[in-house]
Amino acid sequence: QVQLVQSGAEVKKPGASVKVSCKASGYTFTDYYIHWVRQAPGQGLEWMGWINPTSGHTNYAQYFQGRVTMTRDTSLTTAYMDLSRLRSDDSALYYCARDLRNFGPFAQGHWGQGTLVTVSS
Amino acid sequence: EIVMTQSPATLSMSPGERATLSCRASQSVVSNLAWYQQKPGQAPRLLIYGASTRATGIPARFSGSGSGTEFTLTISSLQSEDFAVYYCQQYNKWLPFTFGPGTKVDIK
């Protein structure tokens, strides 16, 4: 079965960077785009971007351009999301999610458990 | 960037009632529209994609309609497990995806 297992909670200081991982299993990693979505406490969902695991090509939300980098390691079937120059309002639950269909990008049919990132001095 | 809006922000309903949730896109997304359900402490769950296709395992009481810029999610008869927040998302292939702000369906 499809599984997306994310790395553990992080506490960072303002101005630092955080890297969240998403280990995929149960399917052919390179066939499905991976997305990153975040949710601040009590707020809605915010799409951050996607990565094509085959090519490494990415598409980021305008708001995160210049601060986010999405990468992948196909040998480890793992996707990564790196967010730099952290601010307090970056404190949120960060999800990775996989396309429902292969050779996307598409709607996200499988989700990781979320990684809580807290930014605090 | 395509801006998504949802209405109402909150829908207070009783079990057994019919719920109608609306989603609007700032420009046409054709049928590249998905609906997600999220319950407290859980990751979102995909309900509908392609504006009207139910994802695997989603009950038939959930239906989606619309195309272009106007979309609707209908829950024909609310069950206790349906009280949650619902988000629409456009996934127009090569543009950044965007979510709507959500509609909370709560118990009247």
Side-chain angles (χ1 to χ4, degrees):
Chain A
Q1 74 283 18
V2 175
Q3 278 198 300
L4 300 171
V5 178
Q6 299 182 225
S7 48
E10 302 264 11
V11 179
K12 295 291 183 181
K13 293 197 183 302
S17 296
V18 69
K19 190 169 188 174
V20 180
S21 67
C22 173
K23 167 71 176 176
S25 61
Y27 70 97
T28 302
F29 179 69
T30 48
D31 281 356
Y32 296 82
Y33 285 50
I34 293 284
H35 302 251
W36 290 89
V37 174
R38 77 176 186 180
Q39 187 169 38
Q43 302 302 307
L45 302 173
E46 185 172 25
W47 183 84
M48 300 178 69
W50 54 245
I51 182 167
N52 176 338
T54 298
S55 65
H57 181 62
T58 54
N59 186 5
Y60 302 143
Q62 192 172 353
Y63 178 79
F64 297 101
Q65 291 275 2
R67 277 211 306 145
V68 71
T69 305
M70 295 177 189
T71 57
R72 90 290 187 220
D73 185 328
T74 56
S75 66
L76 297 177
T77 66
T78 299
Y80 304 91
M81 187 283 299
D82 197 313
L83 189 62
S84 63
R85 304 192 301 278
L86 289 168
R87 308 184 291 254
S88 58
D89 62 358
D90 290 319
S91 295
L93 190 58
Y94 288 76
Y95 292 103
C96 65
R98 196 208 81 171
D99 269 358
L100 177 68
R101 285 185 174 168
N102 54 6
F103 311 122
F106 202 74
Q108 298 89 73
H110 301 272
W111 293 70
Q113 83 277 18
T115 295
L116 183 63
V117 175
T118 303
V119 182
S120 174
S121 55
Chain B
E1 176 180 292
I2 298 176
V3 177
M4 307 299 292
T5 56
Q6 291 186 243
S7 60
T10 304
L11 200 52
S12 296
M13 309 286 295
S14 299
E17 289 190 310
R18 181 185 185 91
T20 302
L21 289 66
S22 295
C23 174
R24 176 176 291 180
S26 61
Q27 65 187 77
S28 176
V29 299
V30 196
S31 294
N32 297 312
L33 192 284
W35 290 94
Y36 298 83
Q37 176 194 67
Q38 189 179 34
K39 298 179 182 179
Q42 296 185 15
R45 176 173 73 146
L46 178 66
L47 299 177
I48 301 283
Y49 61 92
S52 61
T53 303
R54 279 189 303 277
T56 302
I58 302 303
R61 64 181 180 272
F62 291 92
S63 63
S65 63
S67 66
T69 62
E70 301 280 345
F71 301 90
T72 301
L73 175 70
T74 302
I75 310 171
S76 60
S77 177
L78 279 163
Q79 306 299 300
S80 57
E81 61 268 29
D82 300 337
F83 292 94
V85 181
Y86 293 84
Y87 297 93
C88 62
Q89 180 198 43
Q90 65 79 18
Y91 55 95
N92 203 327
K93 194 162 186 176
W94 301 115
L95 296 176
F97 293 9
T98 43
F99 285 99
T103 292
K104 182 178 182 180
V105 179
D106 65 14
I107 300 177
K108 187 189 292 183

